[in-house]
Amino acid sequence: MGTQLKDRKIILGVTGGIAAYKACILCRLLVKSGAQVFVVMTPSAAKLVGKETFEALSGHPVSIEIFDRTEDISHIALATNADMVIIAPATANTIAKIAAGMADNMLTAVTLAAACPVAVAPAMNTNMYNNPATQENIQTLIRRGIYVISPAEGELACGVSGTGRMKEPEDLFEDICAILSNRLENKTVQGQLENHQGRLPSPVKPLELTQTRLLPKAFGAGYKVVITAGPTVEDLDPVRFISNNSSGKMGYSLAQVAAALGAEVTLISGPVNLEAPKGVRKIDVKSAAQMLSAVEDYIKSADIFIGCAAVADFRAETISPVKIKKSEDADTLTIKLVKNPDIIATVGKLESNRPFTVGFAAETNNLHDFARAKLEKKHLDLIVLNDVSNKAIGFNSDDNEVTVFDKDGQVAHFEKQPKPVIAQYLMELIFKSAKKKNG
Ligand code: C5P
């Protein structure tokens, strides 16, 4: 396992659920990975697993009550020095206390005092988990930027099967690494985004976004977002067309994140091979002309417009109604192309009800100059630049690396990551910028 978490100071909070025994395995995984683990148990957890077990596993004293130790490990010292707090298992009771801001034992006091990322892994009986009180408390935690690592379905200690089973220690370990590496590796992101309570969203595997709690769920609530995605297809004749390699992955990821954050999302998509994200209104189009007309239908009430589609710049002046034939006596074929409407520029120029407008620039050379020129020419609020000369990112790939500009210059750079992760950074930046602009 090596030194993945070398010298990271992690507070492992253990509360009084049966899954407390699994926290021993998590503690061991963290220690093996080089982390310094400080276990803080609630009094009921200490009835399930002896604190000596965690002391042996972590190599540090275990704290339970606030007045346990006064010399070196006060709750403030523990909280201030930590890189992360993970509470696993987190009972309904402790979740409720955290939501209420209570500090009645060492663990709740440390959590309240923590300035680092805090994650909780709920584990409880299904009814307790589904109880509106618990669900509302979980929502409160999410709103405040605490990571909630959703429990899995499975057999529970109470003998029934359902939601409420704590994620396995190995999976929790991965989540912890992801949360910490976001903070460690994405210095650019951290430096440039004034993040929700200084915490970054956790990375997720593509298309698992809605299961992962990132920003507060209501971060985009009240916003109507229109996104274009994918290529456009410009017919030449009944069987041939002009198009490009756009997969739609970036635009679909943006739509998925925006919807998961509570926005009302309309996704206007050219032909792609992707399923519509949950909760998103999807309008299928083929050509640039159809895309423009769909955008015009939905733009009037939109607060944010994101032009992520790779719109074909040209279309055939006339579409042949029959298949164009090879001619015996001509070695060339001339097709007259005419310019397509520039959809995003049309939105950018709107005089009334102009939404906050975000464009994309896929460039191969002179990247920054072209991107900034485009921002100005198309009257955009933000432009997201990606280097399509690099095959590992951009068109049709699963990853992207982007730089974002506004009219004053570069505002962020997000290093190479899967598109759904980039989408989270971008949507956070877009919502924040739109909020700032609209006051
Ligand atoms: O000018 P260029 O095609 O490079 O600009 C890219 C940006 O403009 C993207 O945001 C793209 O979605 C948008 N665009 C558009 N309509 C066009 C061409 C591009 O909305 N006809």
Side-chain angles (χ1 to χ4, degrees), residues 204-212 214 225 227 248-263 265-267 274-280 419-421 423-424 427 431:
V204 287
K205 293 182 199 109
L207 307 176
E208 277 186 12
L209 285 169
T210 43
Q211 291 161 25
T212 308
L214 330 148
V225 182
I227 301 176
K249 285 177 194 158
M250 194 66 243
Y252 275 58
S253 295
L254 288 166
Q256 189 171 17
V257 174
L261 292 177
V265 182
T266 305
L267 176 64
L274 296 171
E275 267 181 39
K278 248 204 212 141
V280 166
K419 283 177 178 172
V421 179
Q424 291 166 44
M427 278 321 307
F431 280 131

Side-chain angles (χ1 to χ4, degrees), residues 39-87:
V39 178
V40 181
M41 303 175 84
T42 60
S44 36
K47 294 195 175 140
L48 295 167
V49 181
K51 71 173 189 168
E52 293 75 11
T53 305
F54 284 109
E55 288 182 336
L57 288 170
S58 69
H60 291 290
V62 168
S63 317
I64 299 174
E65 295 295 356
I66 296 183
F67 300 109
D68 268 0
R69 350 186 140 257
T70 44
E71 67 286 9
D72 52 342
I73 314 184
S74 73
H75 60 287
I76 299 294
L78 264 176
T80 324
N81 293 326
D83 291 304
M84 180 170 174
V85 177
I86 165 82
I87 305 178

Side-chain angles (χ1 to χ4, degrees), residues 25-204:
I25 304 166
L26 178 61
C27 180
R28 204 157 164 267
L29 291 171
L30 293 168
V31 171
K32 272 180 91 177
S33 181
Q36 287 192 45
V37 182
F38 300 89
V39 178
V40 181
M41 303 175 84
T42 60
S44 36
K47 294 195 175 140
L48 295 167
V49 181
K51 71 173 189 168
E52 293 75 11
T53 305
F54 284 109
E55 288 182 336
L57 288 170
S58 69
H60 291 290
V62 168
S63 317
I64 299 174
E65 295 295 356
I66 296 183
F67 300 109
D68 268 0
R69 350 186 140 257
T70 44
E71 67 286 9
D72 52 342
I73 314 184
S74 73
H75 60 287
I76 299 294
L78 264 176
T80 324
N81 293 326
D83 291 304
M84 180 170 174
V85 177
I86 165 82
I87 305 178
T91 55
N93 182 50
T94 292
I95 288 172
K97 286 183 189 177
I98 297 172
M102 286 172 68
D104 66 334
N105 59 38
M106 188 60 141
L107 180 58
T108 48
V110 163
T111 307
L112 196 60
C116 57
V118 175
V120 299
M124 64 198 73
N125 158 276
T126 307
N127 290 346
M128 289 172 89
Y129 181 70
N130 288 336
N131 190 299
T134 305
Q135 285 303 313
E136 277 170 33
N137 289 331
I138 286 177
Q139 289 308 319
T140 303
L141 264 45
I142 293 166
R143 250 196 337 273
R144 294 185 188 145
I146 291 178
Y147 296 86
V148 177
I149 302 171
S150 302
E153 284 199 17
E155 223 175 276
L156 304 175
C158 52
V160 299
S161 210
T163 309
R165 194 182 152 89
M166 189 177 83
K167 262 192 161 181
E168 293 308 314
E170 291 75 12
D171 297 331
L172 289 176
F173 175 80
E174 299 266 301
D175 290 338
I176 293 166
C177 290
I179 292 168
L180 280 169
S181 67
N182 244 343
R183 283 181 67 82
L184 298 177
E185 286 164 18
N186 266 302
K187 293 206 181 73
T188 31
V189 177
Q190 200 182 344
Q192 282 154 359
L193 282 184
E194 171 216 328
N195 229 289
H196 182 74
Q197 297 187 12
R199 292 170 189 137
L200 287 165
S202 57
V204 287

Side-chain angles (χ1 to χ4, degrees), residues 307-309 311 313 341-344 359-360 374 378:
C308 195
V311 184
D313 288 330
D342 194 317
I343 299 169
I344 206 165
F360 276 69
K374 210 168 276 182
K378 297 182 186 234

Side-chain angles (χ1 to χ4, degrees), residues 189-190 192-201 215-216 219-220 223 261 304 356 382 424-439:
V189 177
Q190 200 182 344
Q192 282 154 359
L193 282 184
E194 171 216 328
N195 229 289
H196 182 74
Q197 297 187 12
R199 292 170 189 137
L200 287 165
L215 288 164
F219 198 72
Y223 279 89
L261 292 177
I304 296 175
F356 186 85
L382 290 178
Q424 291 166 44
Y425 294 137
L426 286 177
M427 278 321 307
E428 179 177 5
L429 179 63
I430 292 168
F431 280 131
K432 277 185 176 160
S433 310
K435 281 176 195 182
K436 212 187 270 172
K437 187 170 181 206
N438 300 333

